[in-house]
Amino acid sequence: MLRFLLRRSLGAVVILLVISAVTFFLFYAVPRDPAALACGKNCTPDALEIIRKNMGIDKPVPVQYWQFMVGIFAGRDFAQGACPAPCFGYSFANQDPVWQTVVDRFPTTVSLTIGGAVVFLFIGLGSGMIAAWKRGTIVDKFFSSASLVLSSMQIYFIGPLVLALVVYKMELLDQPQYVPITEDPAGWFLGLLIPWLVVQIIFTANYTRLSRSSMIEQLQEDHVRTARAKGMSGKFVFFRYAWRGSLIPIVTIFGVDLGSLFGGAMITEWTFSLPGLGTLAVNSVQNTDLPMVMGVMLFAATFIILFNIIVDAAYAFIDPRVRLA
């Protein structure tokens, strides 16, 4: 297990380096000059040069990239002052420190991601298990049909529709917002309830179909048949043997979906006007704000990779047949 974690950690470092390099160098393929945007219409060459120096973009691109990477571990000095490690620089748009801004926005995104994942896992796995248990009945057909319909929905369509019905017309809930859970747990839950329910629609449909098919497949395995032949009850066999074995493909997909949910938070946050990393990333790209783009990209990529490492390591604890030496 230790060798596996070390190997995956080294691979994660390489992936993060590639992501940082590609993002950094692609930024300069954009025709918009951040210094010219900050300087305004009546900009002079001298003023433009001063702004470039203050932004730290007056040097060749490879040198800028090297200074950026060194700053993450050792800190840097800017016109705004010293930037301690981990230093991702200062925003081109508002001169705010990138690291502090990303850290402040992170709780919104992680709350949206984890909460949505809990909802779609609970509903999706439960629906799939019920459908498999009632295979061939009207209950099975209902869950199977509903999952096909819901899987075709999109957040940018169903989100405004739910807002119009639940918030503005029926007035059952307030406008979605983020409230720190440490300040008001009830406000945190109610403020994110609509985004969670909207996010889970697509994922729940997929997990209902996946868990149903996986469970039905497990029920046909030899060890499950042997357990039944020994006289064990149907419920005990269902939950002790079939359900546990059906989790392997589900965990595999969950690692990918959790990363997709975290990385795709910009759509959900933009739809519900939530101040998370997704909204920050969109605004940073629109403002040609390289330091903020780099900070969001590396922060999000780190957690997506971490999610997948945790999921891979969980295999050995789910199924005894899958052991990592």
Side-chain angles (χ1 to χ4, degrees), residues 243-288:
W243 180 76
R244 187 176 181 180
S246 68
L247 289 179
I248 295 297
I250 293 172
V251 169
T252 304
I253 301 300
F254 177 70
V256 177
D257 286 344
L258 191 60
S260 300
L261 187 60
F262 187 90
M266 64 181 64
I267 300 176
T268 308
E269 293 172 3
W270 192 266
T271 301
F272 297 104
S273 301
L274 297 173
L277 293 180
T279 306
L280 180 62
V282 173
N283 293 333
S284 301
V285 171
Q286 292 176 341
N287 295 329
T288 319

Side-chain angles (χ1 to χ4, degrees), residues 159-215:
L161 182 62
V162 173
L163 282 178
L165 293 176
V166 177
V167 177
Y168 302 121
K169 186 175 182 178
M170 304 175 66
E171 298 183 353
L172 296 177
L173 292 171
D174 294 331
Q175 176 75 23
Q177 61 178 333
Y178 174 75
V179 178
I181 190 173
T182 54
E183 297 180 4
D184 185 5
W188 171 82
F189 178 82
L190 293 176
L192 295 176
L193 182 59
I194 292 179
W196 287 341
L197 295 177
V198 171
V199 166
Q200 64 85 25
I201 288 178
I202 300 174
F203 289 97
T204 294
N206 296 332
Y207 277 80
T208 297
R209 299 199 310 271
L210 178 62
S211 60
R212 176 188 178 276
S213 60
S214 180
M215 182 67 74

Side-chain angles (χ1 to χ4, degrees), residues 42-271:
N42 300 320
C43 186
T44 63
D46 292 338
L48 184 63
E49 186 62 27
I50 293 175
I51 292 176
R52 287 182 180 277
K53 184 175 181 180
N54 290 340
M55 286 184 170
I57 57 175
D58 57 328
K59 299 180 177 62
V61 177
V63 176
Q64 293 182 46
Y65 177 70
W66 172 254
Q67 292 178 342
F68 173 80
M69 295 304 297
V70 171
I72 295 177
F73 302 98
R76 292 176 63 184
D77 291 327
F78 289 89
Q80 297 89 336
C83 178
C87 176
F88 289 86
Y90 291 88
S91 169
F92 288 167
N94 50 32
Q95 303 305 311
D96 290 337
V98 172
W99 175 253
Q100 188 60 48
T101 303
V102 172
V103 170
D104 291 342
R105 297 289 192 101
F106 176 68
T108 303
T109 301
V110 75
S111 296
L112 183 63
T113 302
I114 301 300
V118 170
V119 173
F120 74 66
L121 275 179
F122 180 78
I123 299 178
L125 296 183
S127 301
M129 290 175 59
I130 294 174
W133 181 263
K134 301 293 184 179
R135 181 183 180 185
T137 65
I138 189 173
V139 175
D140 180 22
K141 294 178 181 179
F142 170 78
F143 282 115
S144 299
S145 301
S147 65
L148 290 175
V149 174
L150 294 177
S151 63
S152 63
M153 299 292 183
Q154 296 298 325
I155 294 176
Y156 51 79
F157 167 75
I158 196 67
L161 182 62
V162 173
L163 282 178
L165 293 176
V166 177
V167 177
Y168 302 121
K169 186 175 182 178
M170 304 175 66
E171 298 183 353
L172 296 177
L173 292 171
D174 294 331
Q175 176 75 23
Q177 61 178 333
Y178 174 75
V179 178
I181 190 173
T182 54
E183 297 180 4
D184 185 5
W188 171 82
F189 178 82
L190 293 176
L192 295 176
L193 182 59
I194 292 179
W196 287 341
L197 295 177
V198 171
V199 166
Q200 64 85 25
I201 288 178
I202 300 174
F203 289 97
T204 294
N206 296 332
Y207 277 80
T208 297
R209 299 199 310 271
L210 178 62
S211 60
R212 176 188 178 276
S213 60
S214 180
M215 182 67 74
I216 291 176
E217 181 180 350
Q218 285 296 314
L219 290 172
Q220 308 302 319
E221 292 289 337
D222 292 338
H223 67 282
V224 175
R225 294 180 177 179
T226 302
R228 284 176 172 173
K230 291 181 178 179
M232 297 182 184
S233 66
K235 291 184 179 180
F236 181 83
V237 173
F238 188 88
F239 289 102
R240 177 64 177 82
Y241 293 96
W243 180 76
R244 187 176 181 180
S246 68
L247 289 179
I248 295 297
I250 293 172
V251 169
T252 304
I253 301 300
F254 177 70
V256 177
D257 286 344
L258 191 60
S260 300
L261 187 60
F262 187 90
M266 64 181 64
I267 300 176
T268 308
E269 293 172 3
W270 192 266
T271 301

